[in-house]
Amino acid sequence: MNVPLLDLKAQYKTIKPEIDAAIQRVVDSCAFAGGPEVEQFEREFAHYCDAKYCAGVSSGTSALELLVRAYGIGKGDEVIVPANTFFATAEGVMLAGATPVFVDADASTALINPALIGKAVTKKTKAIIPVHLYGQPVDLDPILEIAKAHGLKVIEDCAQAHGARYKGKKVGALGDSGAFSFYPGKNLGAYGEAGGIVTNDDRVLEFVRLYRDHGSPRKYEHVMVGTNDRLDGIQGAVLRVKLAHLDSWNEKRRRLAADYRELLSRDERVRWIEEHEHSEAVYHLFVVRVPHRDAVLAKLKDAGIGAGIHYPHALHLLPATKDLGYKKGDFPVAEELADSILSLPFYPEMTGEQMEYVVKTLCEVL
Ligand SMILES: *Cc1c(COP(=O)(O)O)cnc(C)c1O
């Protein structure tokens, strides 16, 4: 049996007529860059996130960069980010010219450890970017409290957490703003590159709309140097179709995660990332921790199982961040996670038979 890490074709099969019609609609209208489908998606996604505004952009990475820039954060400023996340969280900060300051993970959740954030705050700190990694909301209240005490912005990185809830409320605009990725493999994924920001702040919305479109409020009237980070029309149309299915897919993810936990509880060598009691996770990934991870991963691959590692290097140990001056041992929990985590095949269309095969093989391999 072959079980991939994720299966976008299986999902496409379930929504093919809707997707094909949506793409055709855009082709017929030739509204390829921005346009009515994008504007409609922005309204629908803001509503979905219980936020006032959404602005579509070209990727999750540009969403992060533009939000950092929207607050006037740049050269000489520091932004606190987790050491255990996808590189783009720190990259967005660096693209805006600011300096990421890493904070270690909590061993049970693999998320940024709120108890360690206070110590990382300096006079230069301007913002905190908590990441709802693997689809699990970060414990935001203590972070919002630190931010308030020091006058910092809170930008949620929601790239893996579309529809996740913290204390009953959807993530995205619980802090000052949120960055979403609609990369194809995300819980809400486009059919190409795409991203978006959500916020309740008029000025942030205005800045992102301006910046993503060459700094021009009206065609050919450029008031500042921006970029071309617009969301394209086909992606807007595809995202509108998929948004209508997101809650049912997330519900399936939650059920499948519960099934995995039940099946895996028969082998005590497998630990999984715990779900916080205050959160409703949407399981972008199903992540376990196993001994001898690299050998286990290789054997799973041999058995046709597409497991993965998210992520194999803590951010402070990457070549791209070496100028920041960190060293091995600085963030022991994130480093230990990078050596032991394993993402098992996981997507809403996964069958019970596939899951049984993954669990049986994993236990045998161990
Ligand atoms: C995917 C991802 C991003 C970047 O999004 P892109 O659309 O790929 O640029 C940022 N942060 C996290 C946590 C992600 O998973």
Side-chain angles (χ1 to χ4, degrees):
M1 194 188 285
N2 260 305
V3 190
L5 181 61
L6 86 169
D7 189 346
L8 292 178
K9 279 189 195 156
Q11 186 186 69
Y12 175 53
K13 275 188 200 151
T14 69
I15 51 172
K16 184 175 180 339
E18 289 174 87
I19 291 283
D20 293 358
I23 292 174
Q24 192 59 49
R25 224 166 42 229
V26 178
V27 175
D28 288 339
S29 75
C30 289
F32 294 118
E37 295 283 344
V38 168
E39 285 164 25
Q40 195 55 31
F41 171 69
E42 289 173 338
R43 278 190 286 274
E44 289 165 4
F45 194 65
H47 178 75
Y48 179 83
C49 295
D50 297 322
K52 249 163 112 176
Y53 309 117
C54 164
V57 292
S58 58
S59 71
T61 307
S62 52
L64 286 159
E65 179 196 345
L66 267 56
L67 285 177
V68 173
R69 288 185 181 276
Y71 298 114
I73 299 169
K75 203 168 172 359
D77 297 329
E78 294 178 355
V79 177
I80 291 172
V81 303
N84 178 42
T85 176
F86 179 56
F87 176 59
T89 312
E91 197 180 27
V93 173
M94 292 158 100
L95 284 167
T99 304
V101 171
F102 298 119
V103 164
D104 208 355
D106 173 293
S108 71
T109 63
L111 303 173
I112 193 168
N113 186 341
L116 301 176
I117 292 177
K119 273 181 268 175
V121 174
T122 72
K123 283 201 191 76
K124 295 180 183 168
T125 310
K126 292 290 188 306
I128 307 170
I129 308 184
V131 182
H132 306 304
L133 198 66
Y134 314 140
Q136 176 169 212
V138 171
D139 188 8
L140 279 177
D141 280 347
I143 294 176
L144 293 170
E145 220 165 275
I146 295 167
K148 198 169 169 202
H150 297 275
L152 312 176
K153 299 295 178 191
V154 174
I155 303 168
E156 295 169 69
D157 182 338
C158 306
Q160 303 188 1
H162 321 69
R165 287 172 188 271
Y166 173 69
K167 296 189 176 172
K169 292 188 191 139
K170 294 242 179 78
V171 301
L174 299 176
D176 293 281
S177 55
F180 286 85
S181 166
F182 305 120
Y183 179 78
K186 302 289 162 94
N187 288 35
L188 178 60
Y191 278 22
E193 301 286 350
I197 68 100
V198 300
T199 186
N200 295 321
D201 186 333
D202 298 59
R203 280 178 307 181
V204 169
L205 175 76
E206 209 167 295
F207 177 88
V208 171
R209 280 185 174 167
L210 208 59
Y211 199 90
R212 72 178 176 187
D213 196 13
H214 307 287
S216 57
R218 283 167 302 280
K219 211 162 194 182
Y220 307 128
E221 284 180 34
H222 306 276
V223 298
M224 66 181 189
V225 174
T227 182
N228 175 0
D229 274 320
R230 295 178 300 246
L231 178 61
D232 84 56
I234 287 180
Q235 303 318 332
V238 166
L239 288 167
R240 288 186 65 202
V241 169
K242 292 183 68 173
L243 181 58
H245 297 276
L246 180 60
D247 282 339
S248 83
W249 289 330
N250 280 344
E251 198 42 54
K252 281 188 189 147
R253 287 174 184 272
R254 289 183 56 76
R255 277 209 300 275
L256 288 170
D259 292 347
Y260 251 140
R261 283 192 293 261
E262 194 182 320
L263 290 174
L264 288 168
S265 61
R266 61 168 111 115
D267 193 321
E268 65 197 17
R269 288 163 301 187
V270 183
R271 291 172 292 164
W272 49 80
I273 304 294
E274 296 289 347
E275 185 168 335
H276 255 303
E277 74 282 359
H278 56 58
S279 73
E280 192 176 306
V282 292
Y283 293 92
H284 173 56
L285 296 164
F286 187 80
V287 178
V288 296
R289 299 175 68 184
V290 293
H292 313 292
R293 192 270 320 275
D294 291 337
V296 169
L297 178 62
K299 294 240 166 162
L300 290 177
K301 287 241 156 91
D302 290 345
I305 293 171
I309 304 172
H310 301 89
Y311 295 88
H313 308 286
L315 296 193
H316 66 294
L317 300 178
L318 287 167
T321 60
K322 74 172 184 319
D323 290 348
L324 299 174
Y326 293 99
K327 60 182 186 313
K328 206 168 165 55
D330 283 346
F331 304 108
V333 177
E335 291 169 27
E336 214 274 311
L337 283 167
D339 291 337
S340 62
I341 48 182
L342 185 69
S343 305
L344 298 180
F346 200 70
Y347 46 93
E349 298 76 18
M350 190 177 188
T351 66
E353 203 186 359
Q354 287 176 316
M355 189 181 288
E356 292 272 358
Y357 178 67
V358 172
V359 172
K360 182 171 114 338
T361 311
L362 176 61
C363 294
E364 277 168 17
V365 162
L366 279 166

